[in-house]
Amino acid sequence: MKTRHWGGIGFALLLSALMVGGAAAPVAPIADPNPDAAHGFRAMMNASVARMHAGMQVPFTGDADRDFAQMMIPHHQGAIDMALVELRYGKDQRLKRLAQEIIVAQQQEIAVMHLALGDALPPGSPAPTQLSPDPKVHHER
């Protein structure tokens, strides 16, 4: 069964309608101050989540450690990809700093999982915390 998640305004309107016992009056949608940025954020975040979920679909081997690592690597990469989107579009410096920390920590954890799987580690590279102005640079695979 699918669960519907309500945004703050939608939930508040629904709650108001239920409390009053009638239908809520029509409310004009709030205009996005920067629709291109909002669309870019949504598109990049959705793409990150889709890649993560696709990557986590691995066949089970019966080895819990191997299966765990093989599923967690794309999960952690998804966190990195989403943190990169925050760095591109976010404004809150605390969240941008957190995104940078997520990138570094998740890269380290991915390396540990690759070692546990017996994979060779790729050559080191700097953490991708500074983004190119071109959104395609960091999100094409």
Side-chain angles (χ1 to χ4, degrees):
M1 177 162 117
K2 275 189 148 179
T3 303
R4 181 172 178 97
H5 296 281
W6 293 86
I9 292 173
F11 181 75
L13 288 173
L14 176 63
L15 187 58
S16 296
L18 292 174
M19 289 174 61
V20 173
V27 176
I30 298 173
D32 191 327
N34 189 348
D36 292 335
H39 175 71
F41 173 83
R42 273 192 305 272
M44 292 176 82
M45 197 60 83
N46 286 340
S48 297
V49 171
R51 278 192 308 274
M52 177 184 71
H53 285 163
M56 291 175 66
Q57 299 301 314
V58 297
F60 287 100
T61 66
D63 179 338
D65 295 329
R66 175 168 283 288
D67 295 345
F68 170 77
Q70 286 182 325
M71 292 178 76
M72 289 302 290
I73 290 169
H75 178 73
H76 279 41
Q77 184 61 52
I80 291 168
D81 294 345
M82 287 183 264
L84 288 168
V85 177
E86 169 60 19
L87 290 177
R88 176 171 297 286
Y89 292 103
K91 303 291 185 245
D92 186 316
Q93 292 305 309
R94 295 168 297 187
L95 293 176
K96 291 178 79 148
R97 176 66 184 149
L98 177 63
Q100 291 174 327
E101 293 171 8
I102 287 169
I103 291 166
V104 172
Q106 299 295 297
Q107 285 181 325
Q108 292 170 346
E109 291 175 11
I110 287 171
V112 169
M113 288 182 277
H114 276 297
L115 287 173
L117 290 170
D119 298 341
L121 292 178
S125 62
T129 57
Q130 299 300 315
L131 297 177
S132 163
D134 181 3
K136 294 178 186 168
V137 169
H138 295 283
H139 295 282
E140 288 185 354
R141 292 190 192 267

